[in-house]
Amino acid sequence: MKIVVPFKSVPDPYAGAGEAAKSVINPFDEIAIEEALRIRERGEASEIVGVTIGPPAVDEQIRSALAMGVDRALRIDDARALDPYAIARILRALIEKETPQVVLMGKQAIDDDSNQVGQMLAGLLGWPQATFVSKIELIENKTRLQCSRETDGGIEVIAITLPAIVTTDLRLNEPRYVSLPGLMKARKKPIEVFTCEQLGVSVAPLTTTLSTSRPPKRSGGTRVESVEELMVKLKQEAKVL
Amino acid sequence: MAETLVLIELDRQQVKRPSLHAIALARELGGEYALLILGSGLDEIAASLVAYGASAVVVADDPALAEPLADRYASVVADVARQRNVKTLLGTSSTFSKDILPRVAALLDAPMVTDVLALEKVDGANAYRRPINAGSMLATVKVDGDLRVLTARATAFEAPTADAAPPCPVESFKLDGAGLPDGMQFISREERISDRPDLTEARVVVSGGRPLKDPETFERLIGGLADALGGAVGATRAAVDAGMAPNDYQVGQTGKVVAPELYIAIGISGAIQHLAGIKDSRIIVAINKDPDAPIFQMATYGLVGDLHQIVPQLIEAIRQG
Ligand SMILES: Cc1cc2nc3c(=O)[nH]c(=O)nc-3n(C[C@H](O)[C@H](O)[C@H](O)COP(=O)(O)OP(=O)(O)OC[C@H]3O[C@@H](n4cnc5c(N)ncnc54)[C@H](O)[C@@H]3O)c2cc1C
Ligand SMILES: Nc1ncnc2c1ncn2[C@@H]1O[C@H](COP(=O)(O)O)[C@@H](O)[C@H]1O
């Protein structure tokens, strides 16, 4: 069984305020890579292909994916500000070429916070989907997946027929650390680079960010010294009690 | 006539109240809007929706739609949108609409904007304001083409009031249940009976973080304070990861977004990913033993101290009235 893991390079969410954040693999995609590795380590998958769409600068995150243990890594060279639907259409072309049984990916890129690509890809391919997944099991002789999903109402369990798209939630697993020797070894592995033309797709984003701004800052706080003082403030000043 | 279609979410045969907030955005967009519900046995629910100023309540009622499976739901929603020549398909941000609507967008060959906070006019055309990077920035996004899919943040739009206008018609959407995609099968859903209000609708939310240690302590202190205030319970990712609280209690960038009158953060450091979910609360109270915890920079009232001492005192003080 082959698994394709699309991943995105994003600013490090743990960078301190004001610090210039270095790029990392989107945390949800790292969880997707980890899960693919575990499935392979259980002997249930034979090949894991990582794919990212971006400019040469993202090769560093591709190295991290290779160091974690993906078998092959592809980059679709595109430096444009693409939207989720454009990404989904490019990924569809790639998936049709690679013909995996499972596509494992993040539920959300933590920079654009869109939470769209996986579901769009599933729609384009006409494949079943399991989103926000916190547990995966291959069942029925590897023809279906049983997935637990984190929904607003609690955990939901569904079964989906392969080939299918799965998007990860935070509690699916804890990704392994990449060792330095692993990273060194990954430097020697090839990265396959394609253009959209080579894949036979021509897409343009349909959404454009016109401007960005900082949200109004919440001005903080009065310190209170005791529970009594807090109660007085909540009753008399805030009038919420 | 440009028509907007608003997807309304049901939960255990009831309308999910926050999903009605998208109606406020539909009204701002102008023109007619219809409401759409999917499920099985929907007569009563449909009747409860006729007074929201819509041109129609469209009902896709079939046993095959008893559970919200994305492949079938998306296919039906896309068919309704095509048949009605819809220009904007709207939902309210939730795991339900995030699961289904991007898939519908792909079926309709349309772009999508998630988590709309406000409608803006840029050079006379509609643009949508939305949070990015865990709410640390706001982006104004324009959309090309005739058709778009949007989700609205419930906390950014008011709940609609039922209209004085005469009730609108209920239209049944004819579908062939047996012909729907069937690659997905529902197995089970965690049933949790709680007397507490829904996190996203509560007037008061009490949330706990990592130092609550275990489910018992979490429930006694966070649950206890929430009950004294008639509020809902929330948690940080750290508390959920440690098994102190169920996943659907998580508040933040990748959990739920809340905007209660009163938010009480107990043993919570104030990571940007958590703050993303609480920023629009009217009053924020923080209780933390570290005077330098970032949460104090945005809390309306901060109390420095050990939660194990403070929270029982607070519960007692509230009970006293
Ligand atoms: C991709 C991604 C998505 C994320 N999404 C979310 C999300 O949606 N929601 C979310 O919450 N987090 C999210 N996080 C995690 C976030 O970055 C923080 O790690 C998390 O919010 C920290 O939780 P905490 O405040 O409970 O724990 P900590 O940061 O460990 O803080 C605990 C606090 O408790 C205080 N404390 C300790 N003992 C006591 C005591 N006895 N009395 C009083 N105070 C005490 C400490 O001073 C400290 O400030 C996400 C992270 C990533 C990378
Ligand atoms: N540029 C990209 N290259 C590869 N995969 C991507 C890219 N952008 C997004 N994705 C995938 O789509 C998921 C959801 O992204 P989004 O819909 O933008 O929140 C991410 O977690 C990735 O798995």
Side-chain angles (χ1 to χ4, degrees), chain A:
Chain A
M1 189 177 85
K2 181 172 178 176
I3 304 176
V4 165
V5 185
F7 61 93
K8 186 180 188 183
S9 172
V10 299
D12 185 356
Y14 293 115
E19 248 174 72
K22 63 176 194 326
S23 293
V24 296
I25 298 174
N26 180 44
F28 289 98
D29 304 349
E30 209 179 3
I31 292 170
I33 294 172
E34 175 64 34
E35 196 64 19
L37 297 175
R38 292 186 188 187
I39 294 171
R40 192 188 60 193
E41 284 158 5
R42 286 202 298 266
E44 294 178 326
S46 47
E47 188 183 19
I48 303 168
V49 181
V51 52
T52 188
I53 302 163
V58 306
D59 281 354
E60 190 152 350
Q61 284 65 60
I62 299 183
R63 298 280 173 213
S64 307
L66 284 165
M68 281 180 78
V70 307
D71 296 298
R72 282 167 55 214
L74 316 178
R75 178 166 62 83
I76 295 154
D77 186 50
D78 202 317
R80 292 176 296 168
L82 294 172
D83 61 5
Y85 188 45
I87 297 284
R89 282 174 292 165
I90 297 171
L91 288 175
R92 171 184 46 186
L94 192 274
I95 301 299
E96 284 173 345
K97 188 165 165 289
E98 290 285 335
T99 62
Q101 277 71 58
V102 177
V103 176
L104 251 168
M105 55 199 288
K107 77 165 181 180
Q108 163 176 354
I110 56 146
D111 51 358
D112 66 55
D113 283 335
S114 288
N115 200 328
Q116 295 177 15
V117 175
Q119 300 87 310
M120 285 177 161
L121 184 57
L124 291 172
L125 292 163
W127 288 8
Q129 71 186 48
T131 51
F132 328 139
V133 165
S134 59
K135 190 170 175 216
I136 300 179
E137 265 173 284
L138 275 150
I139 55 168
E140 294 167 31
N141 202 17
K142 297 202 281 186
T143 57
R144 305 210 315 150
L145 286 178
Q146 179 163 314
C147 299
S148 301
R149 309 180 50 229
E150 294 199 351
T151 75
D152 287 346
I155 303 285
E156 181 187 289
V157 182
I158 60 173
I160 59 176
T161 306
L162 300 183
I165 309 282
V166 175
T167 78
T168 60
D169 218 315
L170 293 169
R171 280 162 284 276
L172 181 57
N173 62 46
E174 234 181 271
R176 66 197 61 189
Y177 281 104
V178 176
S179 67
L180 202 57
L183 256 178
M184 299 308 285
K185 263 212 319 240
R187 300 229 164 263
K188 299 200 191 81
K189 292 195 189 171
I191 297 174
E192 301 165 47
V193 181
F194 294 93
T195 60
C196 284
E197 293 84 76
Q198 285 169 324
L199 279 178
V201 275
S202 137
V203 296
L206 294 171
T207 65
T208 315
T209 298
L210 298 172
S211 61
T212 58
S213 61
R214 291 208 168 273
K217 207 167 153 20
R218 243 195 116 96
S219 54
T222 319
R223 292 288 166 106
V224 294
E225 297 303 325
S226 65
V227 167
E228 293 71 46
E229 194 189 344
L230 178 61
M231 290 296 291
V232 170
K233 293 277 190 198
L234 290 177
K235 282 183 188 158
Q236 291 172 10
E237 200 174 85
K239 299 193 168 38
V240 278
L241 292 187

Side-chain angles (χ1 to χ4, degrees), chain B residues 29-49:
Chain B
L29 287 166
E32 287 189 354
Y33 55 92
L35 309 183
L36 170 63
I37 48 173
L38 289 78
S40 180
L42 300 178
D43 290 351
E44 256 176 63
I45 298 170
S48 75
L49 291 170

